[in-house]
Amino acid sequence: MLEPYRYLRPTTLQEASEMLCLQGAMALAGGTDLLVEMRERKRKPPVMVDLKHLTGLRGIEHNQANIRLGALTTVTDVLEDSRLTARLPALKQAAEVFACCEIRHRATLGGNVANASPGAEFTVPLVALDAAVEIWGPEGPRAMTLSNFLLGPGQTDLETGEFVTGLSIPLTPDMRCAYRRKARTRGMDLAAVSLAVVAHGASRPEERRICLSMGAVERVPPRPSRVEAMLSGVRLTRELTAHAGQALIEPLAPRASSLRASPTYKKAVLPVLLRRLLEELDLMEA
Amino acid sequence: MTARASVGRSVPRRDAAEKATGQARFVDDLSFPNQLVARVVRSQRAHARILGLDASAALAVPGVWEVVTGDEVPGPIGECIRDHTILARGKVRFHGEPVAVVLARDRLAAARGAEAVQITYEDLPAALTPDEALSPDAALIHEDLGSYEVLPTFHPAPGTNVYHAYRSSRGDVASKMAGAHRVIEGVYRYPHIAHVQLEPHGCIAWWRTARDLTVWTSAQSPHLVRKVLAELFELPLSGVQVIVGYLGGGFGGKSDTTVEPLVAAAARKVIGHPVKLILTREEMFFGSVLGRGARVKLRTGHAGDGRILAAEAELAFSAGGYGEYGINVVEGAGHVALGPYRAEAFEVASLAVYTNTPFIGAFRGYGHPEAHWAMERHLDHVAHQMGLDPLELRRINLLRPGDRHLTDQEVQAEHGDLRGCFEAVATRLAEADLATDHPDKVRGAAVCALMKAPIMATNASSSARLRMNGDGSVDLVFSGTEMGQGSHTALCQIAAEALGVPEHLVQPQRVVDTSTSPYEWQTVGSTTTWKVGQAIRAAAADLIAKLCRNGALSMGIPVEQATFDGQYICDVSEPERRVLASSVALNAVHSDGSAEGGPAVGYGTFTPHGLQWADDQGKGNLAAEWTVGAQGAVVEVDLGTGEVHLVSLITAMDVGRVINPDLARGQVVGAMVQALGAATLEEIVYGADGRIRNAGLTDYKIPTPEDLASTELDVIFIETPFPDGPFGARCIAEHGTVAVAPAVANAVRAATGVHVDDLPLSNDHVLQRLLEEGVARA
């Protein structure tokens, strides 16, 4: 049962920022997390600032050097942009397993990253893709890397009055990417563990750069730089990949209390996912 | 004109259009003037003394009318064992137990009020598993067990947490074990699981006066709810009216009573105000009943060819904080502890153990899936360890006519073709493709056999009324509830067939009202089509007799000469002489306008034949019906991720006679899918504090279409007529759940060589077992 709240609907970025400075105000986009928590009476925000009418924040922009995703872009919008899904299959793969059809229509990319869940479907590939977060606030616009933006479960670098306006993904030549998660079911579920692999300069092993991120293993999706270095600039053999898989999980200590998967499971599956994604991206030596 | 046969055809569901268009009405669709909303304040402790309860802050919340506590309500209740205090009194026995009820003008005020009730506790040691509760130093969950009223066939052990033990034995187990070629032991676990009905439990209780109660509820068994409420409030049965429309799923979890005593007791404090309680999705997990929750120890001695010479079984159920709702589940599991297999000697004990968890109750399968999980899993170990073919091991041990059940009842050919079902599935699986397209994936197949009987009161009667209207249409009234199983449709077909009229002329009453609807014991045990069907056949004979009487009066012939052909009452001695049955449905009207005879209404009853109470050896005529079958699974296991994909799942069942092929298949497939959830996904997870950590669908996962998109679900019906069933039909609704889990686990073993003895076979659990056995792929 929702407690009553003051509902505000800004039409400009400036107005939104001012409203979000009100005591206890919370930003509402798709509402697929916030409203559930309010129904469960875990959150009782006195003020809700509905950002959905900032229409300029919805949409996908294809540029030479990057792709910009407006914060209000829905998961369905991602799936329906064939140019985006062709260029960045990892985002398509995340969108396809994201919740259910109804929620995909509603949930936004800005909400997914601002909610800062350690296993959020989009943050994992976006972290591996070196995405930047665009922010608006009382001081105007600013931007930072998604990796720096995410501070912990439910915690971000957003200050009072600030909100996410978009995400920007730099494009590089000969880029390939893939995302895979394991969940308890094939149907609607949260990720038990996930992995994103991005290869820049994919077809030339000597110049290739591999970027990785994982979901639901640490407080935020990490970038395992040591393993990325092991896999970059070399021909990928099965032995090397197995070695990298072990290095990937060696520092991980997922929390034991997760209902979605045990630490043993997460650590056993990640090397398998790594091998399978490298195979799928055709990066392994025959 | 003779009507086309109704039985055996896939006529459309009677409730399809209403439900598809949203016109079907459920309890939460109802509301009344002056209605108040109830919200339950629940225990935050697993086992504790209540030191104090302060409702003053709650009563100060605007919109809150009353706060009702345990001292203000009557009870305890319980038909078999009177142990259930509907609001905690003095102590709480599980996390989530109702401690108080807040009544308020709306849901928000009720929620605020519930949060403001202050309760102080003194913790007691808690036992969450049967083994903890059985340990000699376990705290007693019911200190007063010895003083509870209990039916004579149940056996509580005061001073322990065992509130019933079913025991049965035959022959000299010790000497048979000593002479066995091999003795094999195992322990098998089935966790608590939830029913996850689409429609939450809900009830509206309205005291018009202090002695006049009306209840609208989502309950499987309106007449039982009426009986419990009448006893609780010391009212005549006629002073309690229980009204039940459609249920959005039951699966046993709305049998007995659920929220009705609680809501009615709270509403008595606000006479004149209907009080509504609808459980939230989360509350359904701890505010109604759970299912399963068994630990089974098996020890079997075998001859060299695999024959079972002796068997020992101990089943222990974590039955929860109150025993009433699980007591017969435990009993039923004991009756079939060795599955559909014979043992020359056996000792069986099935223990109902109080635990500091929400209590278990009926759940589709009712003790049988637990017993079959253990026995079929165990036989797989036996086959593996003795180097026997799993199919041959089963063939040699399957029950056959002339054998005796654990209850001493004789297995008869008319109980169904167990061997035929088994071979039908085995043949199908022999054709299965076990090749995979990925080096990390392996496939395997397995077959398990099953049998099930309904557990019920010896006087579990059904009754039905059929009335022909002046236009020839027929009204059908009974008190079996329609909870999605399709019984309304099947029963109309039975009525039409028995009368010889077209099926579309028969209209079932949608709403059961205990003040007008004929008596029905309960809608449980898959028995409605069988028992109500038999009552309807009797009612049809009665209606035909009355139509013939009126027809004979109308034609001026002796009643013995009148017959009904489905449309006309005919004179057998002179076939040209006949009158439309509809024209005499209300009266025989003579040419001068005078009338006699009266409206033709048929009434019929059915009581299962010869059921007895168990004797003190656990023996007797305890089952009035058996259904047998077999289930097989083909699985593909990903050795890298532990995923178990069901390639196919097949059931063969001897259903006696198929009344409606589409509905029958739907029932079996639905049961298979529900059991697949228990096999691969479902498990109630408790924290150390006894709180359910996954109460809700975020973390309690059930199968959804994506999980089944590439699974072949197949059903084979074998029809050995059941002499005591309508047109030969027997019970089918639960049976498809009974052997799915062991079929899946045994197929996983066939694929990987790895045994999994504790459910569920989740990805996580399977991968851990593959890692332990060194079979996982990195």
Side-chain angles (χ1 to χ4, degrees), chain A residues 103-175:
Chain A
I103 291 177
R104 289 195 285 267
H105 281 307
R106 198 81 192 159
T108 66
L109 296 196
N112 195 242
V113 299
N115 200 46
S117 163
E121 228 65 77
F122 280 97
T123 54
V124 178
L126 287 170
V127 164
L129 284 163
D130 293 317
V133 185
E134 297 166 2
I135 297 162
W136 183 276
E139 311 294 318
R142 69 182 176 110
M144 66 194 306
T145 67
L146 179 57
S147 283
N148 289 336
F149 174 80
L150 299 168
L151 302 179
Q155 295 169 285
T156 66
D157 195 56
L158 286 179
E159 300 286 342
T160 302
E162 287 189 322
F163 56 97
V164 175
T165 54
L167 293 150
S168 159
I169 302 161
L171 298 177
T172 63
D174 192 14
M175 190 173 166

Side-chain angles (χ1 to χ4, degrees), chain B residues 385-419:
Chain B
Q385 289 185 35
M386 293 184 68
L388 299 169
D389 174 5
L391 294 175
E392 286 305 322
L393 176 66
R394 285 171 174 77
R395 286 185 181 114
I396 202 170
N397 285 303
L398 275 179
L399 285 172
R400 58 200 73 160
D403 286 345
R404 291 192 171 275
H405 290 289
L406 305 185
T407 59
D408 244 15
Q409 281 180 283
E410 188 180 323
V411 178
Q412 292 170 13
E414 68 182 45
H415 292 162
D417 186 1
L418 177 60
R419 200 162 291 268

